[in-house]
């Protein structure tokens, strides 16, 4: 019985690893998940602890365009998105955009708030950031991977969702559209040409996608083999 349970545990872990790897690949902006909160700001209002509080409190987010980013400081996919998030907060903050980080740890060591604070300081994450160790906010939003992005309009409605890297120009256009709808036309602000670090080249992105796909296939093969042993 113990051997069977161990095999099942390994199989579940491999399947989860493959799913997580593929989830980090680029995905286009789409409508909010069916289980996304109807009042997203209310979820943040009951969340915590806040490692970097929202100036004026969470209530001050009402009436603003909010970009919620689910991330974790040891995930390379999450890290490569940070320069864009920092650039957007700096560029559009005066127009009513607020970027909010939700740090959802992937590993046990990332549960330590002190380590997360050190990481955010080192990475220049100056916008509001909360710790979601129990995945309460993750589940409330229906998030599906790292990095996850929720685009919330001034009425508090989720207007777009994406998981994974890439398509930053499309994301910025959605931000600009939501700001214009809220009466803060950003037309005079040029779009972000390049953040403060080099984005991955197309060749790098292709190699990373191929590696992720290969890992996903390998996990699937191993999972099938393990299931065969259980029979």
């Amino acid at each position: 019985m113990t051997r069977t349970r161990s095999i099942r545990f390994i199989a579940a872990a491999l399947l989860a690893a493959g799913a997580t790897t593929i989830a980090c690949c680029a995905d286009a902006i789409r409508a909010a998940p069916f289980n996304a909160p109807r009042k997203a700001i209310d979820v943040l209002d009951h969340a915590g602890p806040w490692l970097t509080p929202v100036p004026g409190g969470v209530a001050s987010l009402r009436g603003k365009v909010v970009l919620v980013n689910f991330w974790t400081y040891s995930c390379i996919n999450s890290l490569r998105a940070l320069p864009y998030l920092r650039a957007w907060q700096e560029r559009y903050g005066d127009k009513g955009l607020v970027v909010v980080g939700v740090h959802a740890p992937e590993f046990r060591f990332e549960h330590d708030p002190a380590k997360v604070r050190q990481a955010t300081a080192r990475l220049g994450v100056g916008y509001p950031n909360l710790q979601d160790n129990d995945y309460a906010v993750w589940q409330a939003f229906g998030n599906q991977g790292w990095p996850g992005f929720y685009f919330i309009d001034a009425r508090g409605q989720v207007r777009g969702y994406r998981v994974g890297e890439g398509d930053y120009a499309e994301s910025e256009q959605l931000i600009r559209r939501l700001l214009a709808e809220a009466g803060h036309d950003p037309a005079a602000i040029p779009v972000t040409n390049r953040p403060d670090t080099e984005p991955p080249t197309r060749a790098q992105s292709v190699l990373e996608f191929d590696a992720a796909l290969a890992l996903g296939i390998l996990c699937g093969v191993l999972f099938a083999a393990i299931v065969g042993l259980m029979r």
Side-chain angles (χ1 to χ4, degrees), residues 109-171:
F109 65 85
E110 296 173 306
H111 286 240
D112 185 348
K115 292 182 179 178
V116 180
R117 286 192 176 94
Q118 291 175 358
T120 55
R122 184 177 69 253
L123 296 168
V125 180
Y127 46 78
N129 192 55
L130 67 88
Q131 182 79 345
D132 191 32
N133 281 352
D134 59 3
Y135 278 51
V137 181
W138 178 296
Q139 294 173 6
F141 272 78
N143 188 45
Q144 299 169 5
W146 298 276
F149 305 88
Y150 284 80
F151 301 84
I152 303 169
D153 66 18
R155 298 174 300 169
Q157 302 298 309
V158 177
R159 295 282 297 277
Y161 170 68
R162 64 163 292 119
V163 60
E165 301 181 69
D167 290 334
Y168 295 111
E170 182 184 6
S171 297

Side-chain angles (χ1 to χ4, degrees), residues 65 67 81-100 123-128 172 175-176 179 186 188-197:
V65 174
L67 172 53
L82 293 181
Y84 296 90
L85 295 167
R86 291 194 300 261
W88 293 337
Q89 179 62 68
E90 180 179 353
R91 187 171 294 257
Y92 301 110
D94 290 342
K95 288 290 186 178
L97 172 70
V98 180
V99 176
V100 173
L123 296 168
V125 180
Y127 46 78
E172 185 168 5
I175 291 170
R176 293 170 70 90
L179 289 172
I189 301 176
V191 297
T192 304
N193 183 32
R194 178 177 294 176
D196 57 4
T197 192

Side-chain angles (χ1 to χ4, degrees), residues 15-95:
L15 187 62
T20 300
T21 301
I22 292 176
C24 286
C25 297
D27 191 11
I29 295 176
R30 58 182 188 265
F34 73 93
N35 54 342
R38 300 178 67 179
K39 296 182 178 180
I41 305 305
D42 288 350
V43 174
L44 297 177
D45 199 18
H46 295 89
W50 287 88
L51 304 182
T52 305
V54 179
V58 177
S60 67
L61 296 178
R62 302 184 190 280
K64 295 183 178 180
V65 174
V66 179
L67 172 53
V68 175
N69 168 231
F70 287 87
W71 73 296
T72 183
Y73 74 80
S74 71
C75 172
I76 186 60
N77 308 88
S78 293
L79 297 182
R80 281 196 289 246
L82 293 181
Y84 296 90
L85 295 167
R86 291 194 300 261
W88 293 337
Q89 179 62 68
E90 180 179 353
R91 187 171 294 257
Y92 301 110
D94 290 342
K95 288 290 186 178

Side-chain angles (χ1 to χ4, degrees), residues 1 3-13 223 226 230:
M1 179 66 71
R3 179 174 178 273
T4 301
R5 287 180 177 175
S6 297
I7 291 174
R8 287 176 177 169
F9 175 80
I10 294 170
F223 179 76
I226 292 171
M230 294 170 57

